[in-house]
Amino acid sequence: MRTSALRPCEPLAEVVVGDLLEPADVYRVVNGCRRIYFGMSVSRGYLEATVTMAAVARELGVSALVNMSQMTVSQMSIQNSTPSPQQRQHWLSEQVLAWSGLPVVTIRPTMFLESFLPLAGPGVRDRGRIELPFGRGKTSPVAAADVARVVATVLADPVPHLGQLYELTGPQSQDMHGVAREFSDALNREVTYADTPSEDWERGLKKLGLPEHLSRHVVTMGELHRAGRYDRLADGVQRVTGKPAMSVREFVSLHADEFGGRRSERSATPNNTLRFGLTAKN
């Protein structure tokens, strides 16, 4: 069955619909495919979906399975987990795929730059502030487009990558004050970082009516940032694709309208100021 929402992909891809928790659906979709990319959004059924995919992939004898995991898994073990049920499921899913004997390539991205759109967008648009509970913790978010390029490169020629694990970050690890400066440069207006108490942020998330599983995951992400657990830097994007990862400034420039737009040079300069020199365009 096709879905019109995904039809822009055609004719480059055949679009089908199924339930990742239904083995018969997964078998129907995967049958005839030799290479699989497995990824699923934050969901209570994530581990079950992974096991289902692994069982089907073994049955069909696929030649490569690219698994989308999370970088937090690299700091986890049986005795060292996190309060996020989603992150625990990612860790367990990696164990299952390792036991399966399948030809797996593991992708572990850090926080996505796209997370700033819902989490920081309103504050930047309305108040010129990034309002997050990250404290002085550093972060190195990665663009979804860069993660997609890595996955596509691996799927195009998986043999050199089988059994490998690639951690993906942006090009710089910095605290949120540094991130705010990149926002300022991209938007040509002042953006600052306002550290938000974790309790206030959690109450705000609950007001949005997020499912408990998702809410707990997002709250944990904030706690781990504050604790310095996202202060990571890896060259996976460059190593696999040969191109550097996108910076915060580049990402914000691409999505300037969603962050409230750029201030023009004229409005950014006081009327009584005569200005000379060249200004680089974003």
PDB file of all heavy atoms in Angstrom, residues 4 8 78 83 108 112 119 165 170-171 180 220-221 267 275:
ATOM      1  N   SER A   4       0.366   8.785   0.037  1.00  0.00           N
ATOM      2  CA  SER A   4       0.596   9.998  -0.749  1.00  0.00           C
ATOM      3  C   SER A   4       1.575  10.927  -0.068  1.00  0.00           C
ATOM      4  O   SER A   4       2.246  11.723  -0.719  1.00  0.00           O
ATOM      5  CB  SER A   4      -0.736  10.716  -0.980  1.00  0.00           C
ATOM      6  OG  SER A   4      -1.344  11.055   0.253  1.00  0.00           O
ATOM      7  N   PRO A   8       6.642  12.235  -3.027  1.00  0.00           N
ATOM      8  CA  PRO A   8       7.734  12.990  -3.660  1.00  0.00           C
ATOM      9  C   PRO A   8       9.000  12.167  -3.861  1.00  0.00           C
ATOM     10  O   PRO A   8       9.851  12.506  -4.674  1.00  0.00           O
ATOM     11  CB  PRO A   8       7.964  14.132  -2.679  1.00  0.00           C
ATOM     12  CG  PRO A   8       6.633  14.361  -2.064  1.00  0.00           C
ATOM     13  CD  PRO A   8       6.046  12.970  -1.914  1.00  0.00           C
ATOM     14  N   ILE A  78      25.847  -2.687  31.373  1.00  0.00           N
ATOM     15  CA  ILE A  78      24.863  -3.356  32.229  1.00  0.00           C
ATOM     16  C   ILE A  78      24.692  -2.597  33.539  1.00  0.00           C
ATOM     17  O   ILE A  78      23.585  -2.452  34.064  1.00  0.00           O
ATOM     18  CB  ILE A  78      25.275  -4.808  32.497  1.00  0.00           C
ATOM     19  CG1 ILE A  78      25.154  -5.622  31.201  1.00  0.00           C
ATOM     20  CG2 ILE A  78      24.419  -5.437  33.595  1.00  0.00           C
ATOM     21  CD1 ILE A  78      25.670  -7.035  31.314  1.00  0.00           C
ATOM     22  N   PRO A  83      18.335   7.328  32.923  1.00  0.00           N
ATOM     23  CA  PRO A  83      16.899   7.295  33.261  1.00  0.00           C
ATOM     24  C   PRO A  83      15.982   7.218  32.048  1.00  0.00           C
ATOM     25  O   PRO A  83      14.776   7.083  32.207  1.00  0.00           O
ATOM     26  CB  PRO A  83      16.677   8.627  34.005  1.00  0.00           C
ATOM     27  CG  PRO A  83      18.031   9.072  34.445  1.00  0.00           C
ATOM     28  CD  PRO A  83      18.960   8.593  33.382  1.00  0.00           C
ATOM     29  N   ARG A 108      25.958   5.886  15.379  1.00  0.00           N
ATOM     30  CA  ARG A 108      25.602   6.516  16.659  1.00  0.00           C
ATOM     31  C   ARG A 108      25.731   8.036  16.565  1.00  0.00           C
ATOM     32  O   ARG A 108      26.779   8.605  16.863  1.00  0.00           O
ATOM     33  CB  ARG A 108      26.516   6.017  17.777  1.00  0.00           C
ATOM     34  CG  ARG A 108      26.294   4.590  18.222  1.00  0.00           C
ATOM     35  CD  ARG A 108      27.262   4.264  19.345  1.00  0.00           C
ATOM     36  NE  ARG A 108      27.166   2.891  19.807  1.00  0.00           N
ATOM     37  CZ  ARG A 108      28.052   2.336  20.637  1.00  0.00           C
ATOM     38  NH1 ARG A 108      29.095   3.042  21.067  1.00  0.00           N
ATOM     39  NH2 ARG A 108      27.897   1.080  21.021  1.00  0.00           N
ATOM     40  N   PHE A 112      20.589  15.738  17.507  1.00  0.00           N
ATOM     41  CA  PHE A 112      20.393  16.297  16.178  1.00  0.00           C
ATOM     42  C   PHE A 112      20.222  17.817  16.249  1.00  0.00           C
ATOM     43  O   PHE A 112      19.541  18.341  17.137  1.00  0.00           O
ATOM     44  CB  PHE A 112      19.160  15.699  15.513  1.00  0.00           C
ATOM     45  CG  PHE A 112      19.372  14.316  14.961  1.00  0.00           C
ATOM     46  CD1 PHE A 112      19.148  13.193  15.738  1.00  0.00           C
ATOM     47  CD2 PHE A 112      19.813  14.153  13.658  1.00  0.00           C
ATOM     48  CE1 PHE A 112      19.343  11.917  15.223  1.00  0.00           C
ATOM     49  CE2 PHE A 112      20.011  12.881  13.128  1.00  0.00           C
ATOM     50  CZ  PHE A 112      19.782  11.760  13.919  1.00  0.00           C
ATOM     51  N   LEU A 119      12.808  22.745  20.404  1.00  0.00           N
ATOM     52  CA  LEU A 119      13.249  23.001  21.777  1.00  0.00           C
ATOM     53  C   LEU A 119      13.695  24.432  22.009  1.00  0.00           C
ATOM     54  O   LEU A 119      13.484  24.987  23.097  1.00  0.00           O
ATOM     55  CB  LEU A 119      14.394  22.044  22.149  1.00  0.00           C
ATOM     56  CG  LEU A 119      14.065  20.552  22.144  1.00  0.00           C
ATOM     57  CD1 LEU A 119      15.280  19.729  22.551  1.00  0.00           C
ATOM     58  CD2 LEU A 119      12.887  20.251  23.073  1.00  0.00           C
ATOM     59  N   LEU A 165      31.487   0.698  13.649  1.00  0.00           N
ATOM     60  CA  LEU A 165      30.625   1.564  14.444  1.00  0.00           C
ATOM     61  C   LEU A 165      31.076   3.000  14.201  1.00  0.00           C
ATOM     62  O   LEU A 165      32.257   3.324  14.395  1.00  0.00           O
ATOM     63  CB  LEU A 165      30.748   1.202  15.923  1.00  0.00           C
ATOM     64  CG  LEU A 165      29.834   1.879  16.941  1.00  0.00           C
ATOM     65  CD1 LEU A 165      29.776   1.035  18.205  1.00  0.00           C
ATOM     66  CD2 LEU A 165      30.308   3.287  17.296  1.00  0.00           C
ATOM     67  N   GLY A 170      28.809  17.080  15.301  1.00  0.00           N
ATOM     68  CA  GLY A 170      29.133  18.264  14.525  1.00  0.00           C
ATOM     69  C   GLY A 170      30.620  18.547  14.615  1.00  0.00           C
ATOM     70  O   GLY A 170      31.385  17.787  15.229  1.00  0.00           O
ATOM     71  N   PRO A 171      31.085  19.669  14.027  1.00  0.00           N
ATOM     72  CA  PRO A 171      32.516  19.945  13.948  1.00  0.00           C
ATOM     73  C   PRO A 171      33.115  20.553  15.202  1.00  0.00           C
ATOM     74  O   PRO A 171      34.326  20.714  15.295  1.00  0.00           O
ATOM     75  CB  PRO A 171      32.610  20.945  12.793  1.00  0.00           C
ATOM     76  CG  PRO A 171      31.306  21.670  12.828  1.00  0.00           C
ATOM     77  CD  PRO A 171      30.285  20.643  13.251  1.00  0.00           C
ATOM     78  N   ALA A 180      24.954  29.939  21.231  1.00  0.00           N
ATOM     79  CA  ALA A 180      24.193  31.188  21.061  1.00  0.00           C
ATOM     80  C   ALA A 180      24.938  32.170  20.168  1.00  0.00           C
ATOM     81  O   ALA A 180      24.318  32.887  19.375  1.00  0.00           O
ATOM     82  CB  ALA A 180      23.910  31.811  22.426  1.00  0.00           C
ATOM     83  N   THR A 220      15.839  13.518  30.193  1.00  0.00           N
ATOM     84  CA  THR A 220      17.141  12.887  30.408  1.00  0.00           C
ATOM     85  C   THR A 220      18.210  13.522  29.538  1.00  0.00           C
ATOM     86  O   THR A 220      19.347  13.732  29.990  1.00  0.00           O
ATOM     87  CB  THR A 220      17.058  11.373  30.118  1.00  0.00           C
ATOM     88  OG1 THR A 220      16.133  10.774  31.004  1.00  0.00           O
ATOM     89  CG2 THR A 220      18.426  10.711  30.291  1.00  0.00           C
ATOM     90  N   MET A 221      17.875  13.855  28.302  1.00  0.00           N
ATOM     91  CA  MET A 221      18.830  14.521  27.426  1.00  0.00           C
ATOM     92  C   MET A 221      19.312  15.822  28.048  1.00  0.00           C
ATOM     93  O   MET A 221      20.504  16.154  28.000  1.00  0.00           O
ATOM     94  CB  MET A 221      18.192  14.785  26.065  1.00  0.00           C
ATOM     95  CG  MET A 221      19.150  15.355  25.024  1.00  0.00           C
ATOM     96  SD  MET A 221      18.351  15.617  23.422  1.00  0.00           S
ATOM     97  CE  MET A 221      17.283  17.013  23.802  1.00  0.00           C
ATOM     98  N   SER A 267      18.722  47.656   9.438  1.00  0.00           N
ATOM     99  CA  SER A 267      18.066  47.765  10.738  1.00  0.00           C
ATOM    100  C   SER A 267      18.992  47.418  11.872  1.00  0.00           C
ATOM    101  O   SER A 267      18.775  47.819  13.011  1.00  0.00           O
ATOM    102  CB  SER A 267      16.830  46.851  10.778  1.00  0.00           C
ATOM    103  OG  SER A 267      17.214  45.489  10.671  1.00  0.00           O
ATOM    104  N   ARG A 275      29.101  53.357   8.513  1.00  0.00           N
ATOM    105  CA  ARG A 275      29.790  52.066   8.588  1.00  0.00           C
ATOM    106  C   ARG A 275      30.557  51.812   7.310  1.00  0.00           C
ATOM    107  O   ARG A 275      30.046  52.017   6.225  1.00  0.00           O
ATOM    108  CB  ARG A 275      28.746  50.947   8.796  1.00  0.00           C
ATOM    109  CG  ARG A 275      29.344  49.588   9.107  1.00  0.00           C
ATOM    110  CD  ARG A 275      28.225  48.673   9.557  1.00  0.00           C
ATOM    111  NE  ARG A 275      28.731  47.357   9.885  1.00  0.00           N
ATOM    112  CZ  ARG A 275      27.972  46.410  10.406  1.00  0.00           C
ATOM    113  NH1 ARG A 275      26.715  46.627  10.670  1.00  0.00           N
ATOM    114  NH2 ARG A 275      28.496  45.228  10.669  1.00  0.00           N
TER     115      ARG A 275
END
